Each structure stands twice: as structure tokens, then as C-alpha cells.
Amino acid sequence: MNIEAIVFDLDGVIIDTEEVWEEVRRAYVAEHGREFLPDSQDRMMGMSTGEWSAHLAGEVGVPRTAPEVAADVLGRMAGRYREALPLIPGSVETVRALGARYRLALASSSARILIDQVLETAGLTGAFEVTLSTEEVPRGKPAPDVYLEAVGKLGLTPGVCAAVEDSSNGLRSAAAAGLTVIAVPHGVYPPAADALAGARLVVGSITEVTPEAIAAL
């Protein structure tokens, strides 16, 4: 298969923030006297800002509006990123190595403010031709919207693009969009079997996503 572009997820692929997101959201919910639902964490992985904030305000019952919840939580996340950016070992080097051979895009569920901050801190500003937040498309992952938009902005078709994802909803999103899916399962939040089944390649580390591995797809 002739892959022309790689579309990366951010959280869980380049930065290891799924645990940070859970910690921040759980603490925030607890401060308001509420508790996560049993499936809240799994459901929110991949949701857009508008979707997860609506979940916390509506279904979990935080007594704030969804926009207020979003502003509160994003402010806390930005503060954590300023303290220390939890880069996944080898992720920056992998992005740069693949960028020397392929066109790159980023399709993230993080808010635009967090995407831009991460890329600046990691020294990756300009590494991607296209960067998109699910805030900027109608639906978050697992809907295919953000991947279809990223591919469209590259001027390509999904069939010549590969996606690098870690979560169930991210894998489902990329597969639904028609990209060749590369799974880098998160050790703490492993993807569901049905989501993983849609991947063409499953690797144990982001460092295994090499130009040679892509060429062999």
C-alpha cells in the first residue's frame, strides 16, 4: 500500500496524559460532590471538549454548565502541562523521523489551546501540515469527522493515509474514516478487542512506528 501521509493522535500517542485527564476530572467532580459513572472514563476518551463537558455537567451531575465545566477543567490541564509535559519516550523522535518521509497531520480530542501548548513545549510546532481538534468538527471520536477533515485538509483520500492511535474511540474513528490504522495500545487504558481488531498493525511502543514499518503496510 502506498501511504502518503500519517495522521497522529496526541493524548496517549505523543504525550501520556490519559491518567492526568482522569485525575484532574475525578478531582474536579469530587469537589462538586459527585462521582464518575462506571463507564465515564472509557466514554470520555476521544470525546470532544463539548461532549465530555456535557457528560460531566449532565450525566455525572456537576452543578455547572458544560461551557463552565470545560473552562474549569481545561484551565487545570493547562496548569499541569506548564508544570511538566509528560512526553512519551521516543514520540518526538518518531514524529520527526516520519516527517522526513511522509506528510503529517494531527487529529486530537484535546482543545486547541492544549494542542498548541503541547506542540510548542515539545518543539513540534510546524512539524504537522494540519492540526485539528475535535472541537473544530461536528462530532468527536469515535465518529470519523476529525480524521476525514484532516485528510481533506491535506488534499488526500483516506486510502493513502495511516493513523496512529491508542484508545478504543480513536481506533474506531480512524477505521470509520477509512485510514490504515496503527494501534499503540495504552498500558493502563487498553483498547477494546473490537476496536483493536480494526488495526492493520499493532505495536508495543511508538518507537516501533518507523518508516520501514509504514512501508510494509
Side-chain angles (χ1 to χ4, degrees), residues 19 23 27 32 35 66-67 72 88 95 100 116 133-134 159 170-171 188 194 209 216:
E19 290 180 82
E23 182 181 323
H32 289 279
E35 294 182 0
D72 293 343
I88 290 176
V95 169
D116 291 345
S133 165
T134 51
L171 293 166
V188 179
D194 72 286
V209 186

Side-chain angles (χ1 to χ4, degrees), residues 42 45 166-169 171-172 184-193 195-196:
D42 286 341
M45 290 175 68
D166 68 302
S167 69
S168 295
N169 283 341
L171 293 166
R172 292 173 180 135
V184 189
H186 194 283
V188 179
Y189 306 101
L196 200 57

Side-chain angles (χ1 to χ4, degrees), residues 125-209:
T125 301
F128 300 93
E129 287 185 46
V130 173
T131 63
L132 275 176
S133 165
T134 51
E135 290 182 327
E136 298 159 349
V137 295
R139 299 173 297 171
K141 302 171 184 178
D145 302 28
V146 71
Y147 277 103
L148 292 174
E149 183 72 8
V151 168
K153 285 184 175 294
L154 288 171
L156 299 173
T157 61
V160 296
C161 298
V164 184
E165 271 284 1
D166 68 302
S167 69
S168 295
N169 283 341
L171 293 166
R172 292 173 180 135
S173 174
L179 282 74
T180 297
V181 181
I182 301 168
V184 189
H186 194 283
V188 179
Y189 306 101
D194 72 286
L196 200 57
R200 178 72 64 84
L201 174 66
V202 180
V203 298
S205 165
I206 188 64
T207 59
E208 296 176 42
V209 186

